[in-house]
Amino acid sequence: GNKTDRSWNQAHYEGLEKTAEDYPGDPEAFLQLAGIDVREGRYLEARLLLDRADELNAEYAARFPESTRIVYLREETLNVRALLAERRGRYDEAAELTQKVVDANPKNVQARWNLGYLAVKRNRLDDAEKAFDQAAELDERLWPGWLQTATTLDAEDRLDEAFERLQSQGALIETASRRERAQLARLYLRWNKLDEAASLVGELEAEGKNDFDGWALRGWVALYAGGYAVAEDAFRRATFVDGTSFEASNGLALALLDQRNKEKLAQARAIAAKNYRTYPDSQDAAATYAWTLFLSGAAREAD
């Protein structure tokens, strides 16, 4: 839960502080402390730590000129400085720093992905697609540029832009893999573009592969159409394929609670409670659990 995470983070931070005290000439602990400060909004402290890390990097390079660790330390310093700039809304500066990482290490997948993200932030969507494509060439698990750009715009709540851009990607969508079309269907569902989603899901079903994506998406389409029993069956099958999937279990809870059956509502509440305990920071988990509580008569707890 959050309390446990905070306790672990505090202990980790204190451990890094102790390391910095014990080894004041080693820049790595200073860099890690700076990264935590950036993520937690302590920007002044992060900048001071980064300045100290820069000094120590120079001293370390002078003492150990042949060490390959120098490359890592310089790259990590640029990464944290880029993160600091991004968090402060200085996207051009963040992109410039990230480009230096890519120039020094062209095979750095995360840095190329970050360039795409920063391009979206600056509304340079063609550049974003190019950077995301380059990242995907290095790691096939990543989405191709056109789909990652749409997914990132979705995360930024720029839904109209994302949908409009996808409308011009007909050829790429037609040749997209099953996994990519499944992700696209999920985006359409999130944007309430039900006809587009149903069309894609129909294509996936016609391929005759009863995999996780097929069952889960069949469940969502049925749920949106009010076919709760069909949705329940599809989500149950999805959980058989992947028993750890939040998407499948959350969908199953929604399908169960919407059937207005006391026994099924009790099942939905148990599933939603488990998801909420497992994912305490998830808005979807909280919303589903609150809905099951409300329908069970626990209005105050639902609030």
Side-chain angles (χ1 to χ4, degrees):
N2 288 341
K3 185 176 181 180
T4 302
D5 291 340
R6 285 194 296 270
S7 299
W8 186 90
N9 289 338
Q10 182 64 28
H12 181 54
Y13 195 86
E14 290 173 357
L16 288 171
E17 287 183 318
K18 182 68 166 55
T19 301
E21 291 173 3
D22 292 343
Y23 303 95
D26 192 321
E28 187 160 358
F30 292 88
L31 286 173
Q32 292 190 36
L33 286 168
I36 294 173
D37 281 339
V38 171
R39 292 178 179 88
E40 295 186 354
R42 296 187 294 270
Y43 300 142
L44 176 59
E45 293 90 336
R47 193 178 68 184
L48 292 173
L49 285 166
L50 282 167
D51 288 344
R52 179 57 179 155
D54 274 337
E55 295 173 3
L56 295 174
N57 283 344
E59 294 174 8
Y60 186 89
R63 290 168 57 199
F64 307 103
E66 303 300 322
S67 173
T68 57
R69 189 164 176 252
I70 295 170
V71 176
Y72 159 74
L73 292 171
R74 288 172 177 166
E75 188 173 305
E76 188 62 17
T77 303
L78 288 170
N79 283 328
V80 179
R81 285 197 179 279
L83 178 62
L84 175 60
E86 183 268 325
R87 291 296 175 90
R88 301 184 73 180
R90 299 174 178 175
Y91 302 126
D92 288 337
E93 179 185 346
E96 183 178 341
L97 290 164
T98 304
Q99 185 62 57
K100 289 181 179 179
V101 176
V102 171
D103 291 343
N105 182 5
K107 292 186 177 181
N108 188 316
V109 178
Q110 185 61 58
R112 288 193 179 276
W113 193 97
N114 290 347
L115 280 178
Y117 168 75
L118 291 166
V120 170
K121 282 287 193 181
R122 294 179 294 158
N123 204 33
R124 300 180 180 180
L125 301 186
D126 289 339
D127 291 342
E129 288 189 6
K130 180 180 178 181
F132 287 137
D133 273 334
Q134 290 171 341
E137 287 174 5
L138 295 170
D139 186 344
E140 62 182 11
R141 294 171 296 179
L142 298 177
W143 304 121
W146 64 273
L147 184 53
Q148 184 59 64
T149 299
T151 302
T152 307
L153 287 169
D154 171 69
E156 296 286 311
D157 288 327
R158 294 164 62 180
L159 310 186
D160 291 340
E161 291 177 72
F163 182 70
E164 181 180 347
R165 193 162 184 87
L166 284 173
Q167 293 300 94
S168 64
Q169 304 286 4
L172 289 172
I173 293 173
E174 287 178 5
T175 59
S177 70
R178 182 179 177 85
R179 172 175 168 268
E180 292 161 4
R181 283 177 289 147
Q183 169 67 0
L184 180 55
R186 288 183 173 88
L187 290 177
Y188 283 149
L189 285 165
R190 282 172 53 81
W191 305 338
N192 207 33
K193 303 292 184 182
L194 303 186
D195 290 341
E196 289 84 351
S199 177
L200 274 175
V201 173
E203 289 181 14
L204 296 175
E205 289 180 350
E207 293 173 3
K209 293 183 179 179
N210 291 321
D211 57 5
F212 176 84
D213 284 331
W215 289 122
L217 289 168
R218 189 179 305 178
W220 288 120
V221 170
L223 190 66
Y224 275 80
Y228 304 125
V230 175
E232 177 190 348
D233 178 69
F235 283 125
R236 285 194 188 280
R237 292 175 185 272
T239 61
F240 293 154
V241 177
D242 184 355
T244 65
S245 168
F246 169 74
E247 178 187 3
S249 60
N250 186 57
L252 177 57
L254 291 170
L256 288 166
L257 68 84
D258 274 325
Q259 294 183 53
R260 300 301 194 270
N261 175 291
K262 287 186 178 180
E263 182 179 340
K264 291 190 175 185
L265 177 58
Q267 294 177 37
R269 181 170 172 174
I271 294 168
K274 180 180 179 181
N275 279 339
Y276 183 60
R277 289 194 301 270
T278 306
Y279 306 101
D281 295 325
S282 166
Q283 292 183 12
D284 288 335
T288 302
Y289 186 36
W291 190 227
T292 62
L293 289 168
F294 180 78
L295 292 177
S296 302
R300 179 172 296 182
E301 192 175 353
D303 283 342

